Amino acid sequence: MAISCPGTRSLEALDSSDPEPARSRDEEAGQPPCEIILDADAECSMDIILVGSSELSCPPSPGLRRDLIAYEVKVNQRDIEDLCICCGSFQVHTQHPLFEGGMCAPCKVSRVVKDARGGLSEQRRQQSCLPLTKDKFLDCFFLYDDDGYQSCCSICCGGETLLMCENPDCTRCYCFDCVDALAGPGMAGTVQAMSHWVCFLCLPFSCCGLLRQRPKWRRRLKALYDQESESPLEMYKIVPVWKREPVRVLSLFGDIRKELTSLGFLEDGSGTGSLKHLDDVTNVVRRDVEHWGPFDLVYGCTPHLGQACDRPPGWHLLQFHRLLQYARPRHGRPQPFFWMFVDNLQLSKDDRSVATRFLETEPVIIQDAVLVWSNIPAVRSRHSALVPHEELSLLAWDRQRAKSPTPGPAKLVKNCFLPLREYFKYFCELTSPL
């Protein structure tokens, strides 16, 4: 059974926009890093055991004991819906969307929003139009790590070490503490010893100890997002594996075929999945888009800094918005439909305001290199808040003066496409690191 070490998964690091991987706390303290021991004698799978990890992520509040949840339910006859299954608190704020049980406010809503510099002043917070706190559960649920698996436990959205589901169509993880507290004492060790483990949402039966899968949990997750998310954009209900179809992509002004192929959404030469790439859309009309479609994802971007172009950057934004309207599903069709527009720090302040008004969402900045507007889940939670226009102008100037080539926008936003695995079919493991 594979165990994931979340050395890069602490919640404090989720808002970092530093492109270089952060060092673990063990390294900073001069301690040896987490040791990985591989069992070479396994026949059908590889067992990975983690030794010496000292990093803690989101520990429960003092005095709260998750290991007492079973006692409260079985001995004191307390309804599990009246307990936070993430920490054991009696102060339930809402119901957990995936499993029977509650969630307290600290386990659902936490974290001060941080920018690339490690903090966010009140003035900068007001300029970015972002709250001081963010929804921990909703932000982390669609967060993916570089290995293609979700970054946090699907129950508490934290976790020190994570057990990864080995169903090829599932990317969920569960922490040791949640598994032992809810599925049964010692269950995490039992799972760890298994050569192939299928998680609690993939099992054909809905109950394992106190962990009981909610009926229609995908609908409940959408309802929670629509009710409590800060985003004005609607979340689409997660698509069951057996209903997922290959993604159909319209890529404008920038080709993302390489990135989507490496993530498994497209296959070379197989005709599985499709992508239509256009650079010049001047004469494209609605009839053309409807003929090429339907599409599930529309991507567009401004030119790279320093790239010769006979069109102003704002033209790319307006043309993207025009074709986006053509590609949208007809009213009343609930099919998932996603879009992303990336600005290579080319748009003026007025153009960015127009983009925010037309696309109906605030942008985020990724690695101090590009601005992104998108309705893909968790794009906002992965990256830093928007900085003032003057700082963006300085970033653009610094990039223009840099002699070394900068990564293309598609490469910078590649990991933002991983949440689409919840909606569309993918055909292989990651072929390259993100």
Side-chain angles (χ1 to χ4, degrees):
M1 175 58 215
I3 305 178
S4 174
C5 176
T8 60
R9 298 182 179 192
S10 62
L11 291 176
E12 291 83 355
L14 294 181
D15 289 315
S16 174
S17 60
D18 187 355
E20 296 296 328
R23 294 187 302 166
S24 68
R25 296 180 185 177
D26 291 340
E27 293 175 312
E28 292 177 354
Q31 300 177 2
C34 183
E35 178 184 359
I36 300 179
I37 303 175
L38 303 182
D39 181 3
D41 297 328
E43 289 185 22
C44 301
S45 67
M46 180 178 291
D47 291 341
I48 303 178
I49 303 176
L50 296 164
V51 181
S53 175
S54 63
E55 180 177 0
L56 295 177
S57 176
C58 285
S61 302
L64 299 179
R65 296 277 302 277
R66 268 194 294 186
D67 56 344
L68 294 181
I69 294 177
Y71 180 85
E72 290 293 333
V73 173
K74 295 180 178 180
V75 178
N76 291 343
Q77 300 296 306
R78 187 182 293 271
D79 190 342
I80 196 170
E81 299 286 8
D82 297 331
L83 291 168
C84 174
I85 61 174
C86 303
C87 71
S89 171
F90 298 154
Q91 305 298 321
V92 171
H93 169 70
T94 188
Q95 303 310 123
H96 199 286
L98 309 185
F99 300 98
E100 291 186 1
M103 294 180 70
C104 66
C107 286
K108 184 179 181 297
V109 182
S110 65
R111 289 195 293 153
V112 175
V113 179
K114 295 181 180 180
D115 63 10
R117 296 153 187 79
L120 188 65
S121 66
E122 179 63 22
Q123 179 182 3
R124 289 174 61 85
R125 183 188 72 82
Q126 292 176 353
Q127 290 173 334
S128 63
C129 301
L130 290 175
L132 280 173
T133 59
K134 300 182 73 176
D135 195 302
K136 169 186 168 183
F137 183 86
L138 295 178
D139 284 345
C140 293
F141 188 81
F142 288 99
L143 213 55
Y144 281 74
D145 210 353
D146 290 351
D147 57 6
Y149 281 87
Q150 290 189 336
S151 299
C152 305
C153 173
S154 293
I155 299 174
C156 68
C157 282
E160 179 181 357
T161 52
L162 303 175
L163 300 164
M164 299 184 293
C165 179
E166 294 180 285
N167 179 353
D169 296 313
C170 182
T171 58
R172 307 202 190 286
C173 300
Y174 301 82
C175 72
F176 271 47
D177 290 341
C178 283
V179 173
D180 280 341
L182 299 171
M187 180 60 70
T190 301
V191 170
Q192 176 184 345
M194 293 181 178
S195 60
H196 186 86
W197 178 64
V198 177
C199 80
F200 309 107
L201 291 177
C202 295
L203 290 171
F205 44 90
S206 61
C207 181
C208 183
L210 297 179
L211 204 56
R212 184 181 296 272
Q213 180 187 136
R214 287 196 187 276
K216 301 180 179 179
W217 60 267
R218 298 175 183 85
R219 183 176 299 176
R220 285 177 172 268
L221 178 64
K222 171 179 166 50
L224 181 67
Y225 186 95
D226 291 344
Q227 178 181 352
E228 302 200 22
S229 173
E230 295 287 342
S231 172
L233 301 176
E234 178 187 12
M235 171 190 161
Y236 293 100
K237 187 174 71 172
I238 290 175
V239 177
V241 173
W242 58 91
K243 292 185 178 180
R244 293 175 190 169
E245 298 289 340
V247 67
R248 298 160 296 187
V249 184
L250 178 60
S251 185
L252 306 176
F253 321 125
D255 194 350
I256 57 174
R257 183 182 302 275
K258 180 179 178 181
E259 286 72 26
L260 293 183
T261 300
S262 68
L263 295 177
F265 290 113
L266 303 175
E267 283 192 323
D268 290 327
S270 66
T272 307
S274 62
L275 184 143
K276 178 72 174 179
H277 172 228
L278 298 171
D279 278 324
D280 187 0
V281 299
T282 306
N283 298 320
V284 174
V285 296
R286 181 184 294 271
R287 182 176 61 253
D288 298 323
V289 176
E290 292 177 348
H291 174 71
W292 296 325
F295 295 105
D296 307 302
L297 170 65
V298 179
Y299 171 87
C301 63
T302 58
H304 296 198
L305 285 172
Q307 177 182 346
C309 183
D310 56 355
R311 305 281 189 180
W315 178 88
H316 295 81
L317 166 65
L318 297 178
Q319 293 300 319
F320 170 81
H321 183 263
R322 179 174 70 91
L323 268 65
L324 178 64
Q325 306 314 306
Y326 297 163
R328 288 187 185 276
R330 295 185 183 276
H331 182 70
R333 295 184 61 184
Q335 72 178 76
F337 178 78
F338 299 100
W339 52 265
M340 177 186 292
F341 185 77
V342 180
D343 172 32
N344 288 280
L345 304 186
Q346 294 268 39
L347 294 177
S348 66
K349 183 178 180 179
D350 290 341
D351 287 339
R352 290 170 189 150
S353 298
V354 170
T356 298
R357 186 171 75 252
F358 281 14
L359 300 176
E360 300 179 332
T361 188
E362 294 286 341
V364 295
I365 186 167
I366 299 179
Q367 298 184 18
D368 281 347
V370 292
L371 287 175
V372 178
W373 292 260
S374 180
N375 71 334
I376 297 178
V379 167
R380 291 182 64 82
S381 61
R382 289 196 67 100
H383 309 290
S384 62
L386 181 61
V387 298
H389 173 73
E390 292 77 11
E391 294 189 33
L392 291 175
S393 299
L394 290 175
L395 290 173
W397 176 252
D398 290 341
R399 285 180 58 192
Q400 285 180 318
R401 295 178 58 189
K403 296 181 179 180
S404 57
T406 57
K411 184 175 182 180
L412 291 171
V413 301
K414 175 180 175 181
N415 59 351
C416 296
F417 295 121
L418 278 171
L420 299 182
R421 287 186 165 201
E422 299 284 356
Y423 299 93
F424 304 106
K425 187 175 180 180
Y426 58 96
F427 308 97
C428 63
E429 298 298 325
L430 296 177
T431 59
S432 62
L434 296 180

